Amino acid sequence: MGHIQKIILLVVIVPLALFPGGVISYVLLFENLAFETTMWIPVGMTILGICSLVFHFKTRNFYRLLKQQAILPKVEPLFWVLNISYGVVYIVMSLYLIYLLNQLDTWKEYAVVLVFVIPLLIMGIWTLLEAYYLNRLIHVHNFANRHSEIDDIKGDAM
């Protein structure tokens, strides 16, 4: 089940990661606007999304390896931090947009913003929960491997 979740995350992260940077690129190239400091936010979201994509790509086989009791490859802590940052940024962005919903006048605008906000919130929460779950599984796997190594050293006491 975890492997399927990882594949779904890989597929969903691609458009969500590239969309903010794509919008900024479109605005800069075709609308001929000047680059403003607030445009760093979507650029940063895209960079974090790409790092999260790399993290999920590197950890895509972890669930299979956990079942086989194989040695897990090491993922750099920087990618863990950037993946968690990606989830936090999407949660904060969606909560900020929910806060801004108070200023909308019509239900149609409200519905349009909710259609955009709900996937952001779900993606942020899902990314954080998956990172937490994967970290817990890695700790359990390492603990079990250490115990089996100790049992191999001891041998049978009977």
Coordinates of all heavy atoms in Angstrom, one line a residue, residues 17-51:
A17 N 4.1 21.1 -8.0 CA 5.4 21.7 -7.9 C 5.7 22.7 -9.0 O 6.3 23.8 -8.8 CB 6.4 20.7 -7.8
L18 N 5.3 22.3 -10.2 CA 5.6 23.1 -11.4 C 4.7 24.3 -11.7 O 5.0 25.2 -12.4 CB 5.8 22.2 -12.6 CG 6.9 21.2 -12.5 CD1 6.9 20.3 -13.8 CD2 8.2 21.8 -12.3
F19 N 3.5 24.2 -11.1 CA 2.4 25.2 -11.4 C 2.8 26.6 -11.0 O 2.8 27.6 -11.8 CB 1.1 24.8 -10.8 CG 0.0 25.8 -11.1 CD1 -0.6 25.9 -12.3 CD2 -0.4 26.6 -10.0 CE1 -1.5 26.9 -12.6 CE2 -1.4 27.6 -10.3 CZ -2.0 27.7 -11.5
P20 N 3.3 26.8 -9.7 CA 3.6 28.2 -9.3 C 4.7 28.8 -10.1 O 4.7 30.0 -10.6 CB 4.1 28.1 -7.8 CG 3.5 26.8 -7.4 CD 3.4 25.9 -8.6
G21 N 5.8 28.1 -10.4 CA 6.9 28.6 -11.2 C 6.4 28.8 -12.7 O 6.9 29.7 -13.3
G22 N 5.5 27.9 -13.2 CA 5.0 28.1 -14.5 C 4.2 29.4 -14.6 O 4.3 30.1 -15.7
V23 N 3.4 29.7 -13.6 CA 2.6 30.9 -13.6 C 3.5 32.1 -13.7 O 3.3 33.1 -14.4 CB 1.6 31.0 -12.4 CG1 1.0 32.3 -12.3 CG2 0.6 29.9 -12.6
I24 N 4.6 32.1 -12.8 CA 5.5 33.2 -12.8 C 6.2 33.4 -14.1 O 6.4 34.5 -14.6 CB 6.5 33.1 -11.6 CG1 5.8 33.2 -10.3 CG2 7.6 34.1 -11.7 CD1 5.0 34.5 -10.1
S25 N 6.6 32.3 -14.7 CA 7.3 32.3 -16.0 C 6.4 32.9 -17.1 O 6.8 33.7 -17.9 CB 7.7 30.9 -16.4 OG 8.7 30.4 -15.5
Y26 N 5.1 32.5 -17.1 CA 4.2 33.0 -18.0 C 4.0 34.5 -17.9 O 4.0 35.2 -18.8 CB 2.8 32.3 -17.9 CG 1.7 32.9 -18.7 CD1 1.7 32.6 -20.1 CD2 0.8 33.8 -18.2 CE1 0.7 33.1 -20.9 CE2 -0.2 34.3 -19.0 CZ -0.2 34.0 -20.3 OH -1.2 34.6 -21.1
V27 N 3.8 34.9 -16.6 CA 3.6 36.3 -16.3 C 4.8 37.1 -16.8 O 4.7 38.2 -17.4 CB 3.3 36.6 -14.8 CG1 3.5 38.0 -14.5 CG2 2.0 36.0 -14.5
L28 N 6.0 36.7 -16.5 CA 7.2 37.4 -16.9 C 7.5 37.4 -18.4 O 7.9 38.4 -18.9 CB 8.4 36.8 -16.1 CG 8.5 37.1 -14.6 CD1 9.7 36.4 -14.0 CD2 8.5 38.5 -14.3
L29 N 7.2 36.3 -19.0 CA 7.5 36.2 -20.5 C 6.5 36.8 -21.4 O 6.8 37.5 -22.3 CB 7.7 34.7 -20.9 CG 9.0 34.0 -20.3 CD1 9.0 32.6 -20.7 CD2 10.2 34.7 -20.8
F30 N 5.2 36.5 -21.1 CA 4.1 36.9 -22.0 C 3.4 38.2 -21.6 O 2.8 38.9 -22.4 CB 3.2 35.8 -22.2 CG 3.8 34.6 -22.8 CD1 4.0 33.4 -22.1 CD2 4.2 34.7 -24.1 CE1 4.6 32.3 -22.7 CE2 4.8 33.5 -24.7 CZ 5.0 32.4 -24.0
E31 N 3.4 38.5 -20.3 CA 2.8 39.8 -19.9 C 3.7 40.9 -19.7 O 3.3 42.0 -19.4 CB 2.1 39.5 -18.5 CG 1.0 38.4 -18.6 CD -0.2 38.8 -19.5 OE1 -0.5 39.9 -19.6 OE2 -0.7 37.8 -20.1
N32 N 5.0 40.6 -19.9 CA 6.1 41.7 -19.8 C 6.0 42.5 -18.5 O 6.2 43.7 -18.6 CB 6.0 42.6 -21.0 CG 6.3 41.8 -22.3 OD1 7.1 40.9 -22.3 ND2 5.6 42.2 -23.4
L33 N 5.8 41.8 -17.4 CA 5.8 42.5 -16.1 C 7.2 42.4 -15.5 O 8.0 41.5 -15.9 CB 4.8 41.9 -15.2 CG 3.3 42.1 -15.6 CD1 2.4 41.3 -14.6 CD2 2.9 43.5 -15.6
A34 N 7.5 43.3 -14.6 CA 8.8 43.3 -13.9 C 8.7 42.3 -12.8 O 7.7 42.0 -12.2 CB 9.1 44.7 -13.4
F35 N 9.9 41.7 -12.5 CA 10.0 40.7 -11.4 C 9.9 41.5 -10.1 O 10.7 42.4 -9.8 CB 11.3 39.9 -11.5 CG 11.3 38.8 -10.6 CD1 10.8 37.6 -10.9 CD2 12.0 38.9 -9.3 CE1 10.8 36.5 -10.0 CE2 12.0 37.8 -8.5 CZ 11.4 36.6 -8.8
E36 N 9.0 41.1 -9.2 CA 8.8 41.7 -7.9 C 9.2 40.7 -6.8 O 9.3 39.6 -7.1 CB 7.3 42.1 -7.7 CG 6.8 43.1 -8.8 CD 5.3 43.4 -8.6 OE1 4.7 42.9 -7.6 OE2 4.8 44.1 -9.5
T37 N 9.5 41.3 -5.7 CA 9.9 40.4 -4.6 C 8.9 39.4 -4.1 O 9.3 38.3 -3.6 CB 10.3 41.3 -3.4 OG1 9.2 42.1 -3.0 CG2 11.5 42.1 -3.7
T38 N 7.6 39.7 -4.3 CA 6.6 38.7 -3.9 C 6.5 37.5 -4.9 O 6.0 36.5 -4.5 CB 5.2 39.4 -3.9 OG1 4.9 40.0 -5.2 CG2 5.1 40.5 -2.8
M39 N 7.2 37.7 -6.0 CA 7.2 36.5 -6.9 C 8.2 35.4 -6.5 O 8.2 34.4 -7.0 CB 7.6 37.0 -8.3 CG 6.5 37.9 -9.0 SD 7.1 38.4 -10.6 CE 5.7 39.3 -11.1
W40 N 9.0 35.7 -5.5 CA 9.9 34.7 -4.9 C 9.1 33.6 -4.2 O 9.6 32.5 -4.1 CB 10.9 35.3 -4.0 CG 12.0 36.0 -4.7 CD1 12.2 37.4 -4.7 CD2 13.1 35.4 -5.4 NE1 13.4 37.6 -5.5 CE2 13.9 36.4 -5.9 CE3 13.4 34.1 -5.7 CZ2 15.0 36.2 -6.7 CZ3 14.5 33.9 -6.5 CH2 15.3 34.9 -7.0
I41 N 7.9 33.9 -3.7 CA 7.1 32.9 -3.0 C 6.8 31.7 -3.9 O 7.1 30.6 -3.6 CB 5.9 33.5 -2.4 CG1 6.3 34.5 -1.3 CG2 4.9 32.4 -1.8 CD1 5.2 35.3 -0.7
P42 N 6.2 32.0 -5.1 CA 5.9 30.8 -6.0 C 7.2 30.2 -6.5 O 7.2 28.9 -6.8 CB 5.1 31.4 -7.1 CG 4.8 32.8 -6.9 CD 5.6 33.2 -5.6
V43 N 8.2 30.9 -6.7 CA 9.5 30.4 -7.2 C 10.0 29.4 -6.1 O 10.5 28.3 -6.4 CB 10.5 31.4 -7.6 CG1 11.9 30.9 -7.8 CG2 10.0 32.2 -8.8
G44 N 9.9 29.9 -4.9 CA 10.4 29.0 -3.7 C 9.5 27.8 -3.6 O 10.0 26.7 -3.3
M45 N 8.2 27.9 -3.8 CA 7.3 26.8 -3.8 C 7.7 25.7 -4.9 O 7.6 24.5 -4.7 CB 5.8 27.2 -4.0 CG 5.3 27.9 -2.8 SD 3.7 28.6 -3.1 CE 2.7 27.2 -3.2
T46 N 8.1 26.2 -6.0 CA 8.5 25.3 -7.1 C 9.8 24.6 -6.8 O 9.9 23.4 -7.0 CB 8.6 26.1 -8.4 OG1 7.3 26.7 -8.8 CG2 9.1 25.2 -9.6
I47 N 10.7 25.4 -6.2 CA 12.0 24.8 -5.8 C 11.8 23.7 -4.7 O 12.3 22.6 -4.8 CB 13.0 25.8 -5.4 CG1 13.4 26.7 -6.6 CG2 14.2 25.2 -4.7 CD1 14.2 28.0 -6.2
L48 N 11.0 24.0 -3.7 CA 10.7 23.0 -2.7 C 9.9 21.8 -3.3 O 10.2 20.7 -2.9 CB 9.9 23.7 -1.6 CG 10.6 24.6 -0.6 CD1 9.6 25.2 0.4 CD2 11.7 23.8 0.1
G49 N 9.0 22.1 -4.2 CA 8.3 21.0 -4.9 C 9.2 20.1 -5.6 O 9.1 18.8 -5.6
I50 N 10.2 20.6 -6.3 CA 11.2 19.8 -7.1 C 12.0 19.0 -6.1 O 12.3 17.8 -6.3 CB 12.0 20.7 -8.0 CG1 11.1 21.2 -9.1 CG2 13.2 19.9 -8.6 CD1 11.8 22.3 -10.0
C51 N 12.4 19.6 -5.0 CA 13.2 18.9 -4.0 C 12.3 17.7 -3.4 O 12.8 16.7 -3.1 CB 13.7 19.8 -2.9 SG 15.0 20.9 -3.5

